[in-house]
């Protein structure tokens, strides 16, 4: 990201950029930064956009060869083309020959770093990954945002906020806006404010559901499941997330027994460091055998639902009922 900031600061742009990764908020921010730096706000003559994989790359090349109209740059934005997964021979050959006045900006969710397209862009321009940000960077970003709004928050409340809304910067941005509006006229943001207005992500509903299963609170677990269905979450995605949480719990159990430190646990399990303590507490509600059985049952019910033996919604209900009845026994 610093390399893009430096390009913008110096006005020395690459002919091709690739922005990719799972952190969509940052990716969109830098896409807009580059667009604003390369073009005037009302310049539509020198801007072209292509989205998806169903367009002719030869058309893009024709546009790229056209000199900019009363401007220094022509910008071509290509989003979710899948060229960095499936390849594109025409563009692969063209990338080294992009005119100095043209900039092609690719924005993709996933790329194959072993692929020829990725290597070509890395050599000719910049390939920048936007992955999930760590707790330290998120904390710095949030505190900076709150400082500009003359707001204060304690470390414990900030931890609670991150636990509730997750680490996706887009979600954090939305929830911060709600907090700022809710606390208008007050300087300090408290835990009660976070609880009152911040919406938990689906993963947090899953965490609460698994916790209810571990405590054998079957009615509560089913209630949380129906809440997710009301939010239009597909049953099979819910089952996937529950199984994922059980897998994390099992992995943490093994790592704790092996004496692995919290930072390594977080990295290996794919969870934020601040979530390790509460996830270990949840893991303590289950034995390793119970977690293995739950994972086996989940895989079996998924197979039955996909084969048509069971309705998807009923399959997940049966899974929750069985797991919450046996947990802790």
């Amino acid at each position: 990201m610093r390399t893009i900031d430096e390009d913008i600061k110096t006005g020395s742009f690459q002919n091709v950029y690739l922005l990719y990764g799972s952190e969509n908020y940052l990716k969109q921010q830098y896409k807009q930064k580059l667009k604003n730096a390369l073009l005037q706000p009302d310049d539509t003559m020198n801007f072209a956009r292509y989205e998806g994989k169903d367009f002719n790359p030869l058309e893009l090349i024709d546009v790229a060869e056209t000199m900019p109209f009363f401007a220094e740059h022509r910008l071509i934005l290509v989003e979710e083309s899948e060229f960095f997964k499936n390849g594109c021979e025409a563009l692969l050959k063209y990338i080294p020959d992009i005119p100095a006045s043209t900039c092609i900006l690719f924005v993709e969710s996933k790329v194959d770093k072993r692929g020829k397209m990725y290597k070509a862009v890395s050599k000719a321009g910049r390939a920048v990954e936007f992955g999930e940000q760590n707790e330290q960077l998120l904390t710095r970003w949030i505190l900076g945002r709150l400082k500009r709004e003359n707001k204060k928050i304690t470390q414990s409340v900030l931890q609670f906020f991150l636990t509730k809304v997750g680490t996706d910067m887009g979600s954090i941005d939305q929830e911060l806006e709600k907090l700022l509006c809710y606390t208008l006229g007050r300087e300090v943001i408290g835990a009660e404010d976070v609880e009152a207005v911040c919406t938990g992500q689906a993963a947090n509903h899953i965490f609460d559901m698994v916790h209810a299963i571990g405590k054998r609170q079957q009615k509560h677990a089913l209630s949380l499941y129906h809440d997710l269905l009301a939010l239009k979450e597909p049953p099979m995605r819910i089952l996937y997330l529950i199984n994922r949480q059980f897998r994390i719990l099992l992995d943490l159990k093994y790592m704790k027994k092996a004496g692995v430190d919290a930072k390594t646990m977080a990295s290996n399990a794919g969870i934020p460091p601040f979530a390790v303590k509460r996830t270990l507490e949840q893991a303590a509600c289950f034995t390793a055998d119970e977690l293995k059985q739950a994972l086996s049952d989940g895989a079996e019910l998924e197979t039955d639902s996909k084969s048509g033996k069971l309705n998807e919604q009923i399959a997940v209900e049966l899974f929750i009922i069985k797991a919450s009845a046996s947990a802790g026994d």
Side-chain angles (χ1 to χ4, degrees):
M1 288 182 280
R2 284 193 295 268
T3 61
I4 297 178
D5 288 330
E6 187 63 25
D7 288 351
I8 293 172
K9 182 180 178 180
T10 61
S12 178
F13 297 100
Q14 308 295 314
N15 292 121
V16 60
Y17 290 89
L18 166 63
L19 313 183
Y20 69 98
S22 59
E23 181 42 75
N24 195 54
Y25 177 87
L26 274 181
K27 204 163 51 179
Q28 295 303 315
Q29 290 284 310
Y30 272 84
K31 176 186 81 174
Q32 197 59 45
K33 274 190 178 185
L34 281 167
K35 184 179 178 183
N36 292 343
L38 286 160
L39 299 176
Q40 294 297 318
D42 56 349
D43 188 353
T44 56
M45 294 290 292
N46 297 301
F47 177 68
R49 179 175 180 269
Y50 299 90
E51 184 175 10
K53 56 186 179 179
D54 297 323
F55 70 88
N56 187 349
L58 297 178
E59 178 188 330
L60 184 156
I61 292 172
D62 285 341
V63 174
E65 286 293 305
T66 307
M67 289 292 292
F69 185 74
F70 290 110
E72 288 187 49
H73 305 284
R74 174 174 296 281
L75 175 62
I76 301 174
L77 174 62
V78 184
E79 300 189 83
E80 303 300 343
S81 66
E82 297 189 8
F83 291 153
F84 294 86
K85 289 170 58 183
N86 304 325
C88 179
E89 198 62 32
L91 283 176
L92 180 63
K93 293 177 180 177
Y94 182 67
I95 284 173
D97 300 319
I98 298 172
S101 59
T102 293
C103 176
I104 301 178
L105 172 57
F106 293 98
V107 181
E108 306 283 335
S109 295
K110 295 181 181 179
V111 305
D112 181 359
K113 294 183 181 180
R114 301 164 300 177
K116 293 180 180 180
M117 280 289 289
Y118 178 84
K119 292 177 180 177
V121 170
S122 298
K123 184 178 180 180
R126 300 204 192 283
V128 181
E129 182 174 12
F130 294 83
E132 183 177 307
Q133 303 298 290
N134 62 38
E135 183 184 359
Q136 184 180 5
L137 288 172
L138 289 174
T139 297
R140 193 187 313 159
W141 177 59
I142 293 168
L143 290 176
R145 175 95 179 269
L146 293 177
K147 184 178 180 180
R148 290 194 296 273
E149 300 291 338
N150 297 314
K151 296 287 186 183
K152 294 180 180 179
I153 192 169
T154 66
Q155 185 65 31
S156 61
V157 175
L158 180 54
Q159 291 278 319
F160 175 52
F161 172 77
L162 284 171
T163 299
K164 190 171 181 66
V165 306
T167 56
D168 177 77
M169 292 182 74
S171 297
I172 291 173
D173 183 60
Q174 291 177 4
E175 298 306 314
L176 278 177
E177 282 294 336
K178 288 160 63 175
L179 268 179
L180 291 171
C181 292
Y182 186 73
T183 59
L184 198 64
R186 286 193 282 122
E187 185 181 16
V188 179
I189 294 174
E192 66 279 4
D193 301 317
V194 175
E195 186 64 50
V197 300
C198 292
T199 305
Q201 55 180 356
N204 286 326
H205 277 74
I206 297 297
F207 187 94
D208 292 340
M209 190 189 305
V210 172
H211 194 74
I213 290 171
K215 294 292 186 180
R216 301 180 70 185
Q217 298 168 348
Q218 191 176 95
K219 186 176 180 180
H220 183 44
L222 288 170
S223 175
L224 289 167
Y225 172 55
H226 292 137
D227 286 346
L228 284 172
L229 291 177
L231 293 171
K232 306 300 182 184
E233 283 288 340
M236 285 298 100
R237 172 170 164 73
I238 295 171
L239 181 59
Y240 163 79
L241 290 171
I242 295 173
N243 282 333
R244 177 178 176 272
Q245 184 65 15
F246 279 134
R247 171 58 61 189
I248 289 171
L249 297 182
L250 187 59
D251 289 345
L252 287 186
K253 267 189 174 294
Y254 287 141
M255 285 189 278
K256 183 181 180 182
K257 189 175 182 179
V260 176
D261 63 273
K263 185 177 180 180
T264 305
M265 282 186 184
S267 177
N268 291 346
I271 60 176
F274 63 81
V276 170
K277 182 180 178 182
R278 69 173 189 145
T279 309
L280 280 171
E281 290 172 354
Q282 186 176 88
C285 296
F286 301 88
T287 66
D289 287 341
E290 286 169 350
L291 292 170
K292 290 177 185 177
Q293 185 61 51
L295 287 166
S296 176
D297 291 341
E300 184 179 346
L301 285 170
E302 183 179 0
T303 300
D304 287 346
S305 62
K306 286 182 177 179
S307 65
K309 291 182 180 179
L310 272 176
N311 172 276
E312 290 184 355
Q313 181 174 333
I314 293 174
V316 180
E317 285 185 357
L318 290 172
F319 176 71
I320 293 170
I321 289 168
K322 182 177 180 181
S324 57
S326 61
D329 287 347

